Amino acid sequence: MKSVKLFSFFKSSASWRVRIALNLKKIEYDYIPVNILKSEGERQEGYANINPLERVPSLIVDGNVLIESMPIIEFLDEVKPSPRLFPEDPFKKAQVRAVCEIINAGIQPLGNVAVLKQVKKQGGNPDEWLKYWMTFGVRKLEKHLEGFSGTNCFGNELTAADLYIYPQLDASINRVGINIHEYPNLARIFQHLNGLDAFIKARPEHQPDYQP
């Protein structure tokens, strides 16, 4: 990979996952900010030509465009398999993907900017909506991880599941005030990941487009 460009937004948990993966695999990349808080068509000139959805992340590798965090991380795992984020064993890989999808498809989308705007437009309370679904998600994740989590989602082995769970837990704590200590499995995982350089470096406050 001679040229790697990441279109990212500092707050985006999906972008955050990819930043962690790039850091873990020690892949140098150019950071190109895309402000997803702006209306579609105003986010960045020409970005719709790269990603018609105008969402982040998008990754351009040697001129080839990749979108969506899951296929991007899977691609990175194939072209640079160390450290491996998806286990080679098919059953274990499916288990890791399941945790990723619980977050990627079942929790995180419900807190997207577009969803919250629509909730407000229809007369709902976006803050109550967000707190309900984030609390629901954290509670279900805690239960799902019982019996096989350790310092990481899967024992002490770092996997793609940890890349997904870390930004989600951070958002749950800082956006809706969830007390992570009420969830011992998640608290243990979050504390461990919060001390890893690749995760720290990927945090929103360390990105060039960060705004308090």
Side-chain angles (χ1 to χ4, degrees), residues 199-212:
F199 287 74
I200 296 170
K201 185 180 177 182
R203 289 189 59 83
E205 62 268 26
H206 297 147
Q207 307 316 306
D209 57 336
Y210 173 70
Q211 296 179 13

Side-chain angles (χ1 to χ4, degrees), residues 2-146:
K2 296 179 180 179
S3 173
V4 181
K5 298 178 181 179
L6 175 65
F7 291 81
S8 175
F9 181 59
F10 73 96
K11 274 187 176 182
S12 162
S13 60
S15 298
W16 192 343
R17 304 162 190 160
V18 174
R19 295 195 300 259
I20 297 171
L22 290 165
N23 293 343
L24 285 169
K25 293 177 180 294
K26 302 187 185 307
I27 297 173
E28 297 292 329
Y29 62 93
D30 295 323
Y31 186 107
I32 303 172
V34 177
N35 190 345
I36 60 173
L37 298 181
K38 292 184 177 181
S39 300
E40 292 183 8
E42 299 178 356
R43 292 178 178 176
Q44 182 180 335
E45 185 177 356
Y47 185 57
N49 296 325
I50 295 170
N51 186 337
L53 298 175
E54 295 188 59
R55 296 173 184 169
V56 290
S58 296
L59 192 72
I60 300 183
V61 179
D62 298 335
N64 299 299
V65 179
L66 298 167
I67 65 172
E68 302 294 334
S69 63
M70 183 69 79
I72 289 174
I73 294 171
E74 287 180 327
F75 167 81
L76 294 175
D77 222 31
E78 291 180 6
V79 298
K80 194 164 185 182
S82 180
R84 183 168 291 282
L85 300 176
F86 290 97
E88 291 188 51
D89 178 84
F91 183 72
K92 291 182 179 179
K93 183 177 182 179
Q95 288 182 310
V96 170
R97 283 181 62 95
V99 173
C100 293
E101 284 302 319
I102 288 171
I103 298 164
N104 192 45
I107 304 173
Q108 185 264 331
L110 294 169
N112 279 350
V113 173
V115 172
L116 296 179
K117 284 183 178 179
Q118 191 63 25
V119 169
K120 185 176 182 179
K121 186 177 179 180
Q122 294 187 7
N125 185 318
D127 293 335
E128 290 181 1
W129 168 279
L130 186 65
K131 185 169 185 177
Y132 175 84
W133 286 113
M134 280 198 172
T135 303
F136 176 86
V138 165
R139 190 168 64 248
K140 296 301 183 181
L141 277 172
E142 174 71 13
K143 181 66 176 177
H144 180 72
L145 294 174
E146 284 182 3

